[in-house]
Amino acid sequence: MRAICWHGKSDMRVDTVPDPKIEAPGDVIIKITTTCICGSDLHLYDGYMPTMKAGDIVGHEPMGEVVEVGKDVKKLKKGDRVVVPFTLSCGKCWFCEHQLYSCCDTSNPNAELARAQMGHSPAGLLGYSHMLGGFPGGQAEYLRVPYADVGPIKIPDGLPDEKVVFLSDIFPTGYMAIEHCNMQPGDTVAIWGCGPVAQFAIRSAWMLGAGRVIAIDWVPERLKMAQDGKAETINFEKEKVYDKLMEMTKGRGPDLCVDAVGMEAHGGGSIDAALDKAKASVGLATDRPHVLREAIMCCRKAGTISVPGVYAGLLDKIPMGAAMNKGLTFKMGQTHVQKYMPTLLNKIETGAIDPSFVITHKIPLEEGPAAYKTFRDKKDNCIKVVLKP
Ligand SMILES: NC(=O)c1ccc[n+]([C@@H]2O[C@H](COP(=O)([O-])OP(=O)(O)OC[C@H]3O[C@@H](n4cnc5c(N)ncnc54)[C@H](O)[C@@H]3O)[C@@H](O)[C@H]2O)c1
Ligand SMILES: [Zn+2]
Ligand SMILES: [Zn+2]
């Protein structure tokens, strides 16, 4: 089959690789009908995620049709149409029983590698490094899906791929970024980034009762999409984010600050960000956490910082003194996708949201490598790429 494979920094290629096979009785194989490129894939593309190997199949936002079923699988049969969450979860461990699916204790076969880095291993993820399982990803024609009775959700006929495929990751991710933060009705939510994850966080904030949503970026078409979602916006290149947020909230600061940017933040000319960039370029830093610092400084006292943005390692110069003395709460994590899929599928079915609004590029799988560059460089008004194998 054809699949997009990682070959190093800024080097994705479409390779011919062996078709996946059933390896465990709980697996299914799906023929992929739609799959996407995510901001998280950019961290692989830009060489920020450790433990990638040349030839690794990437991609973690797939959907398709079940074509083979392992002998222990009960919930799926050949011909079912499913969306697959990027988090692989056993469904049986303490964490899965508590719906903390991205913390599954058993799905990462390379748990030792993760433990050495993080103290404990989170769940295995599709197409996202050897430390997180070394599972072949879903930017391919076919995919092996482990734990098939726990992950994939069946899609009723009549809903096109474009409306439901983002249940695999970015819609639940934007939703959880708000939902697990104990937001109160009427709260002001500030969201750093206007990428796809942030776009869903904006819409989820409204669904969950926000009083005001403010979104921050510098890419005009992304700011425009945020405004279409009824957010007020700040262009960080033109205005000082802290000053503007204080002006907008009369010095109080937003109640909930969401970092939907993660480890590759741009600095808008700030000194801390210039230092991050210099250190990262010579391997002395693992992440560029400018947004996290800014969110901590802007958040109102006793407010909450929500971090859906991905970080990889040890972060530099985090204003922990400010966070502690202001009494902030931190919420973060890879998304517990399985927990949110049924609720969010229902919102799509009832017409409360049509997630396809975020798609700007729909292209053949073969054009994937070029699309990585377009997406990373924010060219051609690119916000979300959907691939058709
Ligand atoms: N927690 C999870 O499970 C999960 C799931 C999916 C994605 N993610 C992460 O969420 C983040 C966003 O993903 P995406 O697909 O939207 O990515 P993206 O790269 O398309 O969007 C990031 C946006 O942040 C903006 N940005 C950069 N610096 C900024 C700054 N200083 N202030 C404000 N905005 C700034 C960029 O211009 C861009 O529009 C990534 O880190 C991704 O890895 C996490
Ligand atoms: Zn993703
Ligand atoms: Zn588990």
Side-chain angles (χ1 to χ4, degrees), residues 148-210:
D149 274 338
V150 187
I153 189 168
K154 263 196 253 185
I155 301 301
D157 288 341
L159 285 172
D161 282 21
E162 286 70 15
K163 275 193 177 181
V164 292
V165 68
F166 303 130
L167 289 171
S168 57
D169 178 351
I170 57 173
F171 185 14
T173 295
Y175 191 81
M176 178 168 116
I178 310 295
E179 192 269 348
H180 73 162
C181 290
N182 192 27
M183 187 185 73
Q184 300 302 305
D187 272 1
T188 296
V189 181
I191 299 171
W192 274 256
C194 292
V197 167
Q199 298 294 342
F200 284 104
I202 291 168
R203 283 139 185 100
S204 300
W206 291 127
M207 286 177 189
L208 292 161

Side-chain angles (χ1 to χ4, degrees), residues 90-93 96 104-106:
C90 75
K92 292 183 181 145
C93 71
C96 287
C104 175
D105 231 1
T106 47

